[in-house]
Amino acid sequence: MNKVLTHSLFTDFDIDLFKAGKHFRLYEKLGAHLIEVDGVKGVYFAVWAPTAQSVSVVGDFNYWTGGEHQLQVRWDSSGIWEGFIPQLEKGVLYKYKIESNSNGIVTEKADPFSLYCEKPPHTASVVWDLEYNWKDENWMQSRQEKNGLDKPYSVYEVHLGSWKRGENNRFLTYLELAEDLVAYVKETGFTHVEFMPIMEYPYDPSWGYQLTGYFAPTSRFGKPQDFMVLVDKLHQAGIGVILDWVPSHFPDDAHGLGFFDGSNLYEHPDRRKGYHPDWKSLVFNYGRNEVRAFLISNAVFWLQYYHADGLRVDAVASMLYLDYSRKEGEWEPNIYGGRENLDTISFLKEFNEVIYANFSGVQTIAEESTSFPMVSRPTFTGGLGFGMKWMMGWMHDTLKYFQKETVYRKYHQNELTFSMTYAFTENFMLPFSHDEVVYGKKSIANKMPGDEWQKFANLRLLYGYMFTHPGTKLLFMGSEFGQSDEWSFEKSLDWHLLQYDYHSGIKKVITGLNHLYRTQPALYEKQFSGEGFEWINYSDHQNAILSYIRKGNNPNENLVIVCNFTPVVRENYRIGIPQQGKLVPVFNSDEKQYGGSGIGNSGSLKIDASPYDGRDFSIELILPPLSVTVYSFE
């Protein structure tokens, strides 16, 4: 006997929007909802399964047996099954048992809209609510001022499972992280935290990039409200929160989205478009209206209910190109004969339009590694509409240069200067991410050449160059104190290294650079504009020295930056200056507190009326070994 009552949260308008792919708050309708019907409390369930012959809710309340609590399919050909089960309460475990009408296949699936999941390796969904009393009003009302493209944006990338571990290598909880992580990020001065995917995922070695619970923060670290506490505390500390978001692919786990109702429901039915050979995962069907609505609703959900300040979209390049990681014959050109995935392009544009239209003070960031044009340009000008794009070319070229022994660097100066030929074609974020410290690539610190002193001097120089180069910044956890080993998702960062001067010095350098970035408008006001940068001299490859000016809105706040990429101290090194007056040192990566030699300039330095570097004025400076020095005009 069916114990499910007829009830619906859908209006005809909802259904029309869903079919058209324009319903962007589907989580308010689909999924499990604690409601009251005619004075009776219980749970309303709704799931999209258009090729199903029957859908039952199975769970710990009916001994996981199908047929007892069968949902009813709507009459409107939407493919939605729904119903109300009285007396069910928060905390009940459940899945959908789905029998296909086309092939007799029976699947048992977690709820795609579940708000909370069983702790892996268990796979059931949990009836839950999202009630929480937020205390971040000040942040939410003023975040437009913190998240703008003309504001400092320094991101600390974190994998929650391995930032720090507790006794016996246990995970810290969201609530513990709300104390330790928030205090640490505030101390080091980052403006934002970016969490590698916190949506529920079954397999730890995927680092969270193979999702099964798109609407549920992973239960590894606690309940959904516990994650809200972490976000809330970060906001109260003045720190923004960016979430990694993975609309590019999903795993084929039995309880996940794959072959959901016995058909290719969420994934593209053509394996050339629906299967990812690199990750052995399934690819969303971006041309299907209901799938687009699912994904955009998911993005909206994290911004609405978890107060996220931005989404970093993973693997955009793999979405954009039909031939990505495919050999000839393994892909089919689009209708114009090209390799671009037109459905993806349309989807990404709509995603960005919806996000920016509905939320103020947020950013979307594309991890996109190709030369696809206008990724971070508005859709009304033909762009994809992202706020920022990762500058992968800069990252690769810079690390390649820094890995060279210093004696050879004079032959490779163009590897550094090349970035400025395209630096303003997009709103670029400079990333040293988790991808650069795994799979035998070494940690950032151990990429640096030379003896121990030179390794750490090079690292200080690398970070100084990064923070004075145009663009926003992203640094993966552990890199800020010179983690020696590659990152492992299975254990904590090597926090014991901070007892050693060189490592604590790197942490002080990052803290100093974050302070410099936040307090010097010349480093952020025009960070995406060619007006914000001017070379002084990029051709002194013989000495491996670069000098440039960073500019903000006020010319009096401009900064002069000089990078010495060799361990040779340069006495009386002259550079051209565009104006009279004095220079005052404001940052030197070679200071003793950072583990450096303490060489450098001090006090006010008079600018000479001597032409040099094509300018009317000039100044002589002492350049410390392997250093970045920054000067303001007095």
Side-chain angles (χ1 to χ4, degrees):
M1 184 179 108
N2 192 14
K3 301 175 182 177
V4 180
L5 304 181
T6 301
H7 189 77
S8 183
L9 294 183
F10 285 89
T11 65
D12 291 345
F13 184 55
D14 286 323
I15 297 298
D16 289 343
L17 287 176
F18 177 56
K19 288 179 177 178
K22 301 296 182 183
H23 200 309
F24 302 133
R25 283 181 163 79
L26 284 176
Y27 46 85
E28 295 177 350
K29 308 293 180 177
L30 288 165
H33 299 270
L34 290 157
I35 63 170
E36 190 174 304
V37 176
D38 297 329
V40 178
K41 292 182 178 179
V43 179
Y44 165 81
F45 294 92
V47 62
W48 179 50
T51 68
Q53 180 175 307
S54 68
V55 178
S56 298
V57 182
V58 297
D60 56 0
F61 59 94
N62 64 9
Y63 306 102
W64 302 95
T65 56
E68 194 171 345
H69 292 90
Q70 286 193 356
L71 301 181
Q72 297 170 328
V73 66
R74 290 183 59 89
W75 55 269
D76 49 27
S77 73
S78 62
I80 292 170
W81 297 72
E82 62 186 349
F84 174 73
I85 303 179
Q87 271 87 49
L88 287 194
E89 297 179 341
K90 180 176 174 178
V92 162
L93 303 181
Y94 72 101
K95 284 185 178 179
Y96 296 118
K97 190 168 187 176
I98 304 170
E99 183 179 350
S100 174
N101 65 13
S102 58
N103 47 26
I105 289 175
V106 178
T107 60
E108 217 169 85
K109 295 291 187 178
D111 188 346
F113 287 83
S114 173
L115 304 176
Y116 187 27
C117 302
E118 261 192 307
K119 191 172 181 180
H122 301 294
T123 58
S125 300
V126 185
V127 172
W128 209 252
D129 63 41
L130 294 177
E131 292 181 8
Y132 177 75
N133 181 26
W134 287 89
K135 302 178 181 67
D136 63 348
E137 298 87 358
N138 290 341
W139 170 269
M140 295 298 285
Q141 289 169 10
S142 64
R143 70 176 176 180
Q144 185 85 41
E145 302 161 20
K146 307 284 180 64
N147 281 351
L149 295 175
D150 59 348
K151 296 294 186 288
Y153 212 92
S154 176
V155 180
Y156 187 54
E157 186 190 23
V158 175
H159 177 262
L160 282 178
S162 59
W163 180 72
K164 189 182 284 186
R165 293 280 181 105
E167 65 282 354
N168 301 318
N169 203 37
R170 71 167 177 86
F171 290 134
L172 295 189
T173 66
Y174 291 127
L175 297 179
E176 288 172 315
L177 289 160
E179 301 300 324
D180 293 7
L181 180 62
V182 173
Y184 184 78
V185 175
K186 192 167 178 64
E187 176 196 354
T188 45
F190 290 94
T191 64
H192 293 72
V193 166
E194 179 184 317
F195 291 128
M196 289 167 67
I198 52 86
M199 300 82 180
E200 194 59 82
Y201 56 99
Y203 188 51
D204 282 355
S206 78
W207 310 336
Y209 288 99
Q210 299 261 13
L211 305 181
T212 50
Y214 270 78
F215 291 81
T218 177
S219 52
R220 285 167 176 81
F221 316 118
K223 299 179 175 66
Q225 280 80 358
D226 298 340
F227 181 61
M228 291 177 178
V229 171
L230 174 55
V231 175
D232 206 352
K233 293 275 191 182
L234 283 161
H235 282 172
Q236 291 173 49
I239 299 160
V241 177
I242 303 162
L243 301 181
D244 266 15
W245 187 54
V246 191
S248 47
H249 64 120
F250 57 92
D252 60 1
D253 291 57
H255 68 289
L257 295 178
F259 215 55
F260 189 80
D261 61 352
S263 72
N264 301 118
L265 190 61
Y266 288 92
E267 67 272 24
H268 200 287
D270 184 340
R271 290 283 280 187
R272 293 173 296 181
K273 295 180 181 179
Y275 181 75
H276 201 296
D278 281 359
W279 303 313
K280 296 179 174 53
S281 53
L282 303 173
V283 180
F284 284 104
N285 185 354
Y286 305 107
R288 188 164 192 170
N289 287 345
E290 296 91 342
V291 173
R292 292 166 70 109
F294 169 81
L295 287 170
I296 296 176
S297 289
N298 184 242
V300 169
F301 171 82
W302 291 101
L303 298 174
Q304 179 182 342
Y305 277 103
Y306 286 91
H307 290 200
D309 305 295
L311 297 171
R312 175 267 195 187
V313 183
D314 182 62
V316 172
S318 76
M319 300 167 66
L320 287 172
Y321 294 102
L322 296 165
D323 63 345
Y324 187 90
S325 281
R326 297 177 192 275
K327 302 186 183 80
E328 195 171 340
E330 294 179 347
W331 63 282
E332 184 181 42
N334 63 35
I335 57 172
Y336 304 112
R339 52 195 281 259
E340 297 80 14
N341 189 325
L342 302 180
D343 287 338
T344 293
I345 292 168
S346 165
F347 162 72
L348 290 173
K349 287 181 176 183
E350 185 169 33
F351 151 73
N352 281 309
E353 288 169 354
V354 170
I355 295 306
Y356 283 106
N358 285 278
F359 298 93
S360 62
V362 301
Q363 295 292 347
T364 61
I365 304 163
E367 187 217 2
E368 206 286 310
S369 54
T370 74
S371 56
F372 193 94
M374 302 179 69
V375 172
S376 58
R377 295 292 179 259
T379 56
F380 61 78
T381 65
L384 289 183
F386 285 93
M388 289 177 247
K389 168 181 168 169
W390 276 19
M391 197 176 189
M392 308 293 273
W394 171 88
M395 180 271 295
H396 286 300
D397 290 346
T398 299
L399 291 179
K400 183 179 175 185
Y401 177 88
F402 269 84
Q403 285 172 288
K404 290 179 170 61
E405 293 289 343
T406 55
V407 67
Y408 301 118
R409 287 180 177 173
K410 62 184 176 183
Y411 304 113
H412 299 275
Q413 189 117 321
N414 62 308
E415 288 176 14
L416 288 186
T417 57
F418 178 66
S419 67
M420 294 312 301
T421 65
Y422 65 96
F424 305 110
T425 59
E426 300 275 5
N427 298 336
F428 278 121
M429 172 176 279
L430 313 182
F432 289 142
S433 74
H434 64 274
D435 281 327
E436 306 319 309
V437 294
V438 289
Y439 298 143
K441 294 180 184 178
K442 303 179 181 177
S443 67
I444 300 290
N446 273 342
K447 295 180 198 289
M448 302 295 110
D451 59 21
E452 186 179 40
W453 189 91
Q454 287 199 16
K455 269 184 184 296
F456 283 90
N458 269 305
L459 191 58
R460 295 191 297 270
L461 168 57
L462 172 68
Y463 293 153
Y465 169 66
M466 174 193 194
F467 272 78
T468 56
H469 188 287
T472 54
K473 330 296 174 188
L474 178 136
L475 195 61
F476 182 58
M477 65 181 198
S479 303
E480 82 283 359
F481 61 78
Q483 168 99 4
S484 302
D485 292 340
E486 284 191 342
W487 167 58
S488 168
F489 71 91
E490 296 177 296
K491 62 185 181 73
S492 171
L493 297 178
D494 294 332
W495 293 103
H496 65 276
L497 293 175
L498 282 168
Q499 67 186 299
Y500 303 110
D501 290 345
Y502 280 137
H503 292 278
S504 65
I506 295 297
K507 182 184 167 190
K508 289 175 184 173
V509 162
I510 290 296
T511 303
L513 286 168
N514 274 324
H515 177 76
L516 183 77
Y517 184 34
R518 292 196 327 268
T519 57
Q520 296 289 343
L523 292 178
Y524 59 80
E525 285 181 341
K526 295 183 178 180
Q527 58 193 341
F528 299 127
S529 166
E531 296 177 359
F533 180 89
E534 178 185 332
W535 284 114
I536 295 175
N537 190 335
Y538 58 83
S539 59
D540 188 6
H541 52 84
Q542 198 60 39
N543 291 314
I545 291 170
L546 291 177
S547 50
Y548 45 92
I549 299 172
R550 290 297 308 278
K551 303 175 178 181
N553 297 328
N554 183 349
N556 295 325
E557 295 177 338
N558 290 351
L559 297 176
V560 172
I561 294 110
V562 188
C563 303
N564 178 8
F565 296 101
T566 73
V568 179
V569 179
R570 305 291 177 185
E571 304 272 359
N572 307 317
Y573 186 85
R574 186 171 290 276
I575 61 170
I577 299 292
Q579 64 193 69
Q580 285 181 304
K582 294 179 179 180
L583 289 184
V584 179
V586 293
F587 180 83
N588 177 1
S589 68
D590 193 49
E591 286 184 24
K592 286 188 175 179
Q593 63 163 324
Y594 301 145
S597 60
I599 294 172
N601 307 275
S602 59
S604 296
L605 310 169
K606 191 171 186 303
I607 297 170
D608 304 325
S610 306
Y612 202 77
D613 287 332
R615 289 169 178 79
D616 293 335
F617 308 96
S618 62
I619 193 168
E620 284 191 344
L621 301 170
I622 301 168
L623 303 190
L626 292 169
S627 70
V628 173
T629 46
V630 182
Y631 308 87
S632 63
F633 287 94
E634 186 175 72

